[in-house]
Every structure is written in C-alpha cells, then in structure tokens.
C-alpha cells in the first residue's frame, strides 16, 4: 500500500485574510470620512471645517454652533453609526445562522416582531405603576423590541430548520406569515392607542434618525455594544455551521450554544435598531453580500467588516435623506430600500441561475 | 478502540437499529456494508454523535453521547454522505474548517498537502461551488484528513468515520481515496467506512460488518463475511464470489439469465 507523506512540507496555499485586513483598514478610513462629512451636513449651514478652525484658533464655538454640533449632529452621527453597525451585523449573523444569504431581520419578520414589541411597550407603558415606569422609562422600548425580535427569530428557526438543515422556501414563507401576524397585532394595538400614544407611535414608526438624542443612544447601547464586541467569538462556529449542524458538531462546535448566542445577537442588534430608528430595511442584506463578494464568506472577517461598512452606509444614507429634499427630510428607510431592494432581487436572480433556490 | 454493546437507535418513533454489537481496533479499516435501508448510515450517525442511542458505545474509552464535541473532534473526523455549503467558500477555506486549535500552526501547509493527497493540488483558491460533485466530495475528504492528520498522537489513536467516501467518485479517485484510508489505518489510525462497493471493501478492509434490517448479520474478515449465501440473503440477488490469490474475494452479481 502507498505510504502517505504525513510530515512532508509543501508551498503555501492562498489566503484571503490579507485582503480582508486591507478591507478593514479601507472601511475604517471610509468611516472617518463619512463621519466628518455627516457632521458638516445639515439644514443649518454650519461647516465642520469652520467649527474646527474656531476651536483651533481658541475662539471657541458660539452657543448656536455648540448646540447644533453637540446636541443635534453628533448624537445623530453616533446613532447612525450604531444603528448601521447593528443592522449589518444582525443581517450577517442571521445569514450565518440560517446558512442563507437572503436572511435579513427586516425581510423575514424579525423586524416586524421587534416592532410589535416596541409598539406593545409604547401602548402598555401607561399601565405600569408610575414609579416603575420612571425607573425603566427609556429602556422599556428597546428591551421590548429585543424580546419581540428574540421570540420571532426563535420561532422562525424552529419552523424553517429540519434535521439541521434550513429550507430557504420555508424560511421566506414563514417570514412572510410572521411579518403579517406581527403587523396585524401591531395594527390592533395602534387601533387601541390613545392620542398621546398615537403621536409617540407615529414618530417611532417614521424610521428616521431625526429624533436622535444622547438619551436614546444610552438606552439602546447596552443591547448593541455586547453584540458588537462578542460577535467575533461566534465566527468559527458560524463558519462550521455553513456545512450543516451535524458536520459543525463533528468539527467540535457546540452547535446549540452557537445557535442560541446567534439568535440572541440577531434579536439584540435588530431589536435595538428597530426600537430607536423604526424600520430600516436592506442594510442587513446589502452589506454582508458586498463583503462576501470582496473578501469571501469567512465570518472572522465578515462580522467586523459588516459592522464598519453598515455604519458608514447608514450615515451616508442619512446624509442623502437630509440633502435630497432639503430643508425637509426623506425617511431614511426609503433611501436604504431604494439601494437595497435591487440588490436583493439581483441575489435572487443569481441564485436561481445556480439552482440554489 | 471502538466498542459498541447492544446499541439501539430510533428515528421518528421507528426502531432502526437493534442489538448492534461490534468493535473496531485502531490500525484497521472496518467496512460497514449492506443493502439500501439496512441502517448503515444510521449506525454511523449514532457512532458520530448525531443520533441518540440506547446501549453503550465508546471510542478510545469515551462514551460517545456523553463527551463534549470538542473532545470528540480531537480524536475523530467524520465525512458525511453529502455536504451542501451555504456560502461560496474557497476550497482552501473549506479544508481549513477542519483545522482545530491543535493544528493551527502549520495550517496553510497542511491544507495544501491534504489537497494534494486527494488529487486536488492547486485547487485552493477555487470557489467550491463551481467544482463537480466528485471534486467537492474530495475537498471534504481533505477537510476530514486535516482534522485528524496524525493517525496517532500522545492521547492515542485517531479515527476516520466515513459515510460512502467513494460513492461520487470515478474509479481512479475511488482507488486514491481508498488508498488514503488504508494508509491511515496502516499508520496506526482507525477507519470505519460505510461502503456500497463490495469489491473495494473486500480489497481494502480488514473487517467487514454486513448489515440487514438494522442488525449486523455477519462480521469478520472479508472472506468470512462475503459468501454466496450471506450476499444472496442480504441483497436478494444471486452473487458469485470468486477469489483472487492474496487479494481475497471478488464478486460478480449474476443477472438471472446467465
């Protein structure tokens, strides 16, 4: 019989990690540029360069400029970065979990579930004892959205996964049903709401970063920050999961743990995003897809790069939303859907060609 | 050593495996053969932790359903019958999925060597989804190989569990893969393979377990198991078993007219 050269050496195989690291650096640069541009964009003609010059020359900012920068543009930028990162990351995590590039919280009903949680919190907050309501006040909506997102992700995974394999058709159809159900329940709650609640609901539902404030940011940060920091720990598990649940377990992955954490991560990121910014679709589809084309599907690079690109993309979309019908604003969801829906259709077409559906 | 004592397994409320008792030693290649639906794959799934089972089964002394996946992954690798990858990983990336923390050191090197073993040298940068079925099967074989590259470590022998490793392959690559498994066993590792091809099994295996209706009908050396009577009983068709000196049995299915 042939003896195998178990200890022989041979030349190096290719590696996309170099390109992925390069992409990370480029995306960080993009993030800085977009952030500076965003700080300089707005209805009040305040240039970020003028402000910087005033600061450097020791004059300090005028009260008006300080308010515009510190209380309006900066929290809006911070929230755009945070929500963008959360949306892209929730998409990438969900696609890894479902082993499918078409999974996105906004499309398969998880966003609607999170929305239902948020609406429930807004409408039922009045029933809470005053002391408790003050205590948990700002956190109530994000937490409720997280719980709604968690329940719907869990339900969807149960329905769409059989024997460790996920059916695309079942996932998309179950997502439609889930979205419709959450939408109907949300509609019922809206019908029951009083005038003050209706006003809150309307503002929440506009899907805009216009209401950004430091307090809103503080309320959702505890949900998003752990996902941003801890998601890289799931990368190896999600890579292995691409082979199917049984084969991931053969590679030494504790599959149940990875699944539970990924579902929690999807729910936390999507829930927080929905709670503070309403429904913003397609960032979670477009960003991971573009990155997979550029540097491959390895989640070790995909997850952090998705957070970076998602942040830049949403801040960019927010600038477009503010500028295009200035001095009015377009809901940012319209901008992201205009960019994202064609990409979604394009993926569908390509997969049809591969017989992947 | 793989030890299985009176193992039973059920799938959707139906008993699939009953009273399976077998053992396999490191340094040998065991082929599990039998007709469609006889429970070969179910047995392999029970032995690789995919399926709960009754009775007892242990590998190197670790009870199979009570050992952490990470620990099992360090002593055995599993090749599934077919694998569908969700994303366009490159061939090299797929093979690297088999690397555990213990072998990260020579990662790129090992990947290339494993690919060369299965006849896919230079395929590393290709998108796996663009390869043919047989090529993809060999990529996964390479992935399984890097997971337990050294057949013997300080912690004892390591194992390959393979579900129809040559089913998708042409005759040349069937021999390539069977030679790799034979060589793995000869180097001190253990191999348990579900096989359809009886001649390849006779040619390469040390022991054969012949399954019928969820039980092992006969097990032992190929010449003891692959007999006219056994094969006629399990496969329900006449098979003539001949013998090649020093190679063991080879068989020809008999069409009724002949």
């Amino acid at each position: 019989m042939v003896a195998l050269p178990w200890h022989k050496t041979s030349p190096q195989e290719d590696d996309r990690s170099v390109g992925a690291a390069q992409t990370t650096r480029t995306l960080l640069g993009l993030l800085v540029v977009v952030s500076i541009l965003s700080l300089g964009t707005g209805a009040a003609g305040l240039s970020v360069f003028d402000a910087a010059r005033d600061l450097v020359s020791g004059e300090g900012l005028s009260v008006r400029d300080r308010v515009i920068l510190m209380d309006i543009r900066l929290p809006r930028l911070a929230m755009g970065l945070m929500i963008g990162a959360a949306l892209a990351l929730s998409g990438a995590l969900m696609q890894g979990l479902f082993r499918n590039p078409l999974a996105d919280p906004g499309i398969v009903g998880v966003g609607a579930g999170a929305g239902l949680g948020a609406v429930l919190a807004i409408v039922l907050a009045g029933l809470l004892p005053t002391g408790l309501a003050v205590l948990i006040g700002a956190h109530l909506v994000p937490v409720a959205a997280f719980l709604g997102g968690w329940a719907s992700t869990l339900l969807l995974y149960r329905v769409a996964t059989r024997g460790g394999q996920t059916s695309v058709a079942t996932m998309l159809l179950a997502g439609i049903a889930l979205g419709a159900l959450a939408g109907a329940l949300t509609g019922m709650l809206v019908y029951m709401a009083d005038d003050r609640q209706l006003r809150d609901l309307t503002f929440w539902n506009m899907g805009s970063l216009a209401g950004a404030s430091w307090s809103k940011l503080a309320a959702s940060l505890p949900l998003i920050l752990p996902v941003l920091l801890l998601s890289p720990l799931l990368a190896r598990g999600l890579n292995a999961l691409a082979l199917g649940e049984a084969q991931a377990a053969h590679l030494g992955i504790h599959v149940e743990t990875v699944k539970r954490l990924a579902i929690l991560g999807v729910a936390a990121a999507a829930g927080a995003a929905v709670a503070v910014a309403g429904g913003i679709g397609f960032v979670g589809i477009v960003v991971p897809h573009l990155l997979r084309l550029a540097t491959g599907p390895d989640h070790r690079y995909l997850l952090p790069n998705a957070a970076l690109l998602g942040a830049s993309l949403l801040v960019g979309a927010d600038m477009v939303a503010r500028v295009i019908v200035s001095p009015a604003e377009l809901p940012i969801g319209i901008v992201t859907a205009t960019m994202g829906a064609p990409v979604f259709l394009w993926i569908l077409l390509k997969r049809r060609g591969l017989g992947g559906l | 050593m793989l030890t299985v004592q009176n193992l039973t397994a059920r799938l959707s409320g139906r008993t699939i495996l009953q009273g399976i008792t077998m053992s396999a030693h490191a340094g040998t290649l065991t082929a599990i053969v039998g007709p469609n639906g006889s429970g070969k794959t179910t047995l392999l799934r029970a032995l690789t932790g995919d399926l709960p089972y009754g009775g007892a089964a242990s590998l190197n002394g670790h009870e199979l359903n009570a050992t952490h996946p990470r620990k099992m992954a360090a002593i055995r690798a599993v090749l599934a019958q077919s694998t569908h990858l969700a994303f366009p990983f490159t061939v090299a990336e797929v093979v690297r999925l088999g690397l555990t923390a213990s072998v990260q050191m020579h990662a790129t090197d090992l990947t290339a060597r494993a690919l060369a073993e299965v006849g896919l040298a230079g395929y590393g940068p290709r998108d796996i989804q663009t390869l043919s079925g047989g090529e993809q099967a060999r990529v996964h074989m390479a992935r399984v190989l890097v997971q337990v590259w050294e057949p013997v470590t300080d912690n004892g022998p390591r194992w390959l569990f393979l579900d129809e490793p040559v089913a998708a392959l042409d005759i040349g690559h069937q021999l390539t893969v069977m030679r790799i498994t034979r060589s793995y066993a000869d180097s001190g590792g253990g191999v348990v393979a579900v096989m359809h091809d009886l001649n390849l099994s006779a040619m390469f295996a040390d022991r054969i377990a012949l399954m019928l209706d969820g039980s092992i009908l006969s097990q032992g050396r190929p010449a003891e198991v692959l007999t006219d009577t056994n094969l006629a009983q399990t496969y329900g068709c006449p098979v003539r078993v001949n013998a090649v000196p020093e190679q063991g049995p080879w068989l020809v299915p008999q069409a009724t007219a002949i």
Side-chain angles (χ1 to χ4, degrees):
Chain A
M1 289 295 159
V2 181
L4 286 181
W6 301 111
H7 300 285
K8 204 179 67 185
T9 57
S10 59
Q12 295 233 323
E13 204 56 60
D14 82 301
D15 200 338
R16 286 197 277 200
S17 61
V18 182
Q22 179 63 43
T23 305
T24 306
R25 282 192 289 275
T26 311
L27 289 175
L28 273 171
L30 179 69
L31 194 71
V32 171
V33 172
V34 171
S35 299
I36 293 172
L37 284 176
S38 164
L39 282 180
T41 308
L46 167 65
S47 150
V48 98
F49 299 107
D50 292 345
R53 200 182 52 224
D54 286 351
L55 277 176
V56 171
S57 65
E59 281 181 37
L61 291 173
S62 68
V63 175
R64 171 183 168 275
D65 288 358
R66 187 192 307 274
V67 168
I68 291 173
L69 265 186
M70 300 305 291
D71 294 341
I72 298 176
R73 289 192 190 167
L74 208 53
R76 183 168 188 150
L77 169 65
M79 207 146 101
L81 293 174
M82 190 185 74
I83 302 296
L87 287 170
L89 204 52
S90 67
L93 281 173
M94 191 160 189
Q95 287 145 30
L97 173 71
F98 280 82
R99 298 172 281 275
N100 195 290
L102 294 171
D104 173 75
I107 291 169
V108 294
V110 172
L116 175 61
V119 171
L120 204 63
I122 292 172
V123 173
L124 297 187
L127 302 178
L128 287 176
T130 323
L132 190 63
V134 170
L135 196 66
I136 53 175
H139 293 283
L140 188 62
V141 174
V143 168
F146 160 65
L147 290 176
W150 178 68
S152 36
T153 315
L154 209 60
L155 185 70
L156 193 68
Y157 196 84
R158 288 275 155 79
V159 173
T161 305
R162 275 276 171 280
Q165 296 292 337
T166 307
S167 149
V168 191
T170 315
M171 176 193 77
L172 291 177
L173 291 173
I176 291 172
L178 203 61
L181 182 65
L185 292 174
T186 305
M188 241 146 51
L189 284 168
V190 171
Y191 194 72
M192 284 160 49
D194 63 28
D195 284 354
R196 193 183 53 79
Q197 291 165 343
L198 272 181
R199 200 198 55 198
D200 288 350
L201 285 173
T202 311
F203 276 113
W204 169 78
N205 201 27
M206 281 200 292
S208 161
L209 296 177
S213 65
W214 292 117
S215 64
K216 269 193 174 182
L217 198 66
S220 49
L221 209 57
L223 278 181
I224 291 181
L225 209 56
V227 186
L228 282 174
L229 296 178
L230 299 179
S231 62
L233 298 178
L234 289 176
R236 189 168 177 266
L238 291 175
N239 282 343
L241 213 53
L243 295 165
E245 286 184 20
Q247 303 205 51
H250 296 156
L251 289 170
I253 303 297
H254 202 287
V255 173
E256 281 307 315
T257 307
V258 171
K259 275 161 51 184
R260 275 194 209 118
L261 290 176
I263 288 174
L264 280 176
V266 168
V274 166
V276 295
I280 299 177
F282 293 103
V283 176
I285 283 274
V286 172
V287 168
H289 187 70
L290 289 178
L291 287 171
R292 268 189 222 105
L293 287 179
T295 53
D298 189 331
H299 290 88
R300 286 175 303 169
Y301 318 119
L302 181 65
L303 295 176
N305 284 349
L308 288 174
L309 183 56
S312 297
L313 189 77
L314 198 70
V315 170
D318 185 47
M319 273 196 291
V320 172
R322 279 186 284 167
V323 168
I324 203 163
V325 288
S326 178
E329 275 189 27
L330 215 55
I332 191 170
I334 293 180
V335 180
T336 57
T338 313
M339 296 188 301
V343 177
F344 182 76
L345 288 173
W346 179 52
I347 304 174
L348 270 178
L349 274 174
K350 255 185 62 184
R351 285 177 65 85
R352 197 184 57 175
L354 282 172
L357 277 183
Chain B
M1 180 174 178
L2 171 73
T3 316
V4 182
Q5 274 292 329
N6 203 15
L7 179 140
T8 56
R10 297 165 69 80
L11 270 179
S12 354
R14 230 163 53 83
T15 302
I16 305 289
L17 298 177
Q18 198 137 35
I20 304 270
T21 296
M22 65 181 286
S23 61
H25 292 270
T28 65
L29 197 168
T30 305
I32 301 172
V33 301
N36 298 139
S38 57
K40 304 184 294 294
T41 293
T42 308
L43 176 57
L44 202 77
R45 287 183 60 200
L47 298 182
T48 54
D50 299 352
L51 207 63
Y53 57 80
S58 67
L59 187 67
N60 290 5
H62 303 289
E63 185 64 31
L64 292 176
N65 56 5
T67 310
H68 192 281
R70 202 182 309 121
K71 196 163 193 176
M72 289 311 297
I75 56 175
R76 64 100 182 86
V78 184
L79 181 73
Q81 215 172 85
S82 68
T83 303
H84 171 72
L85 259 171
F87 299 107
F89 285 95
T90 63
V91 167
E93 284 168 343
V94 173
V95 176
R96 275 199 290 271
L97 288 176
L99 295 172
T100 49
S102 57
V103 285
Q104 288 287 5
M105 269 184 356
H106 309 293
T108 44
D109 200 43
L110 206 54
T111 306
R113 279 153 67 191
L115 282 172
E117 290 301 338
V118 297
L120 291 173
Y123 276 60
R126 305 250 312 250
D127 174 355
I128 189 169
Q129 291 175 338
T130 64
L131 301 189
S132 78
E135 287 169 332
Q136 291 190 23
R138 283 184 282 141
V139 173
H140 291 295
M141 183 71 199
R143 166 174 65 79
V144 165
L145 281 178
V146 300
Q147 189 184 335
V148 288
W149 186 255
E150 279 94 17
V152 182
T153 66
D154 296 343
N155 297 323
R158 302 210 279 185
W159 295 76
L160 294 171
F161 285 84
L162 313 169
D163 195 354
E164 295 189 24
V166 298
L169 307 183
D170 62 68
I171 190 165
H173 287 114
Q174 287 187 349
L175 283 176
T176 305
V177 166
M178 289 315 294
R179 281 190 185 123
I180 291 173
T181 58
R182 183 65 252 171
S183 171
Y184 196 83
D186 290 342
S187 312
V191 182
V192 177
V194 167
M195 297 284 294
H196 262 306
D197 191 316
L198 298 174
N199 281 315
L200 280 178
S201 306
M203 217 182 289
F204 287 96
D206 300 297
R207 289 178 64 82
I208 290 183
L210 177 61
M211 291 189 71
L212 181 65
D213 297 334
S215 300
I216 293 180
L217 182 82
S218 165
Q219 54 185 324
R221 293 191 303 107
E224 297 163 1
V225 176
L226 300 178
T227 61
D228 297 7
T229 348
N230 276 348
L231 296 177
Q233 186 185 344
T234 43
Y235 289 91
C237 74
V239 177
R240 176 177 297 163
V241 181
N242 303 285
V244 177
E246 293 174 32
Q247 285 282 341
W250 62 277
L251 5 124
V252 185
Q254 306 292 297
T256 41
I258 299 174

